[in-house]
């Protein structure tokens, strides 16, 4: 009887997961419904869908979690700070055609810094009138493995860098959500690239 109850619970969970598999309906991740909403960044230059419960990471946590001086300019985090989206808008020029080579250079640099990092997919996809290039990889922390996604696309002709990280065990649940988040990016500058 217990086995049948477990099967019913599992089937209900799978059905709920099927119903919540987009940024419009939300995603069921780690048994929680994550809903998304549009957020404007960098003084209204870019819009991106973000988990509704995520907040800007407080400065004291930013310094503790991202100790390098080259830390991201903006970080939006889950309330437990275990899932993070990072954003930087650099003055370096970037066109849609340059997104893929720029992402490839970033991946190659990461490999050189730490050959133990494990890389998975590399994708370049259309994004409005431009392109976004992203790749994902596994890193190792002191107490856990992390799943990461890094992406680049032009915003107003400048390099927009997006990062994502979570515990590695949640990779398969977050990856499709983050891909949809990346494809939700809108350049609000009015600059054609």
């Amino acid at each position: 009887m217990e086995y049948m109850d477990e099967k019913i619970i599992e089937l209900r969970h799978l059905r709920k997961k099927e119903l919540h598999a987009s940024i419009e309906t939300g995603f069921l991740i780690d048994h929680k419904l994550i809903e998304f909403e549009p957020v404007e960044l960098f003084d209204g230059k870019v819009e991106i869908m973000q988990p509704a419960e995520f907040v800007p990471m407080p400065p004291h946590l930013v310094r503790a979690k991202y100790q390098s001086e080259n830390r991201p300019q903006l970080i939006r985090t889950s309330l437990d700070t275990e899932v993070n989206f990072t954003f930087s808008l650099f003055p370096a020029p970037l066109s849609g055609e340059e997104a893929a080579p720029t992402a490839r250079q970033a991946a190659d640099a990461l490999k050189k810094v730490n050959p133990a990092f494990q890389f998975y997919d590399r994708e370049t996809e259309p994004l409005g009138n431009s392109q976004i290039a992203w790749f994902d990889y596994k890193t190792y922390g002191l107490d856990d493995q992390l799943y990461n996604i890094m992406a680049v696309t032009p915003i107003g002709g400048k390099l927009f860098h997006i990062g994502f990280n979570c515990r590695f065990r949640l990779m398969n649940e977050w990856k499709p959500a983050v891909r949809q988040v990346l494809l939700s990016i809108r350049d609000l500058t009015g600059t054609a690239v």
Side-chain angles (χ1 to χ4, degrees), residues 5-168:
D5 289 345
E6 289 174 9
K7 274 292 190 201
I8 290 170
I9 290 169
E10 182 181 334
L11 288 172
R12 283 184 183 158
H13 179 72
L14 288 174
R15 176 68 180 139
K16 193 172 182 182
K17 215 169 175 140
E18 286 173 6
L19 293 173
H20 299 286
S22 75
I23 53 176
E24 289 80 21
T25 62
F27 276 87
L28 195 61
I29 298 175
D30 202 19
H31 303 285
K32 292 178 268 187
L33 179 61
I34 307 294
E35 296 178 316
F36 293 79
E37 64 185 11
V39 173
E40 286 188 9
L41 305 172
F42 299 105
D43 299 319
K45 289 183 175 79
V46 61
E47 180 183 88
I48 186 168
M49 296 296 282
Q50 284 285 275
E53 71 173 23
F54 279 34
V55 297
M57 184 177 280
H60 72 282
L61 289 178
V62 169
R63 286 187 298 278
K65 200 162 186 150
Y66 296 88
Q67 296 177 0
S68 166
E69 287 301 316
N70 297 324
R71 66 181 63 95
Q73 296 165 357
L74 300 173
I75 303 168
R76 293 185 55 84
T77 187
S78 58
L79 297 178
D80 63 6
T81 71
E82 292 200 1
V83 182
N84 304 285
F85 282 91
T86 66
F87 308 98
S88 294
L89 185 59
F90 296 108
L94 185 77
S95 68
E97 297 79 36
E98 295 169 318
T102 301
R104 187 172 41 255
Q105 287 172 352
D108 291 346
L110 285 170
K111 279 183 197 175
K112 283 182 184 173
V113 169
N114 195 330
F117 290 175
Q118 186 174 350
F119 288 79
Y120 302 106
D121 296 329
R122 262 188 207 186
E123 300 289 336
T124 301
E125 301 186 66
L127 183 64
N129 295 328
S130 191
Q131 293 183 347
I132 187 165
W134 62 270
F135 60 92
D136 58 342
Y137 59 104
K138 176 170 57 171
T139 59
Y140 304 89
L142 293 175
D143 59 349
D144 206 353
Q145 299 171 348
L146 294 177
Y147 175 66
N148 304 268
I149 293 179
M150 186 180 291
V152 295
T153 192
I155 295 293
K158 304 297 181 199
L159 172 61
F160 182 48
H161 178 273
I162 308 97
F164 169 83
N165 61 65
C166 69
R167 292 193 182 277
F168 186 76

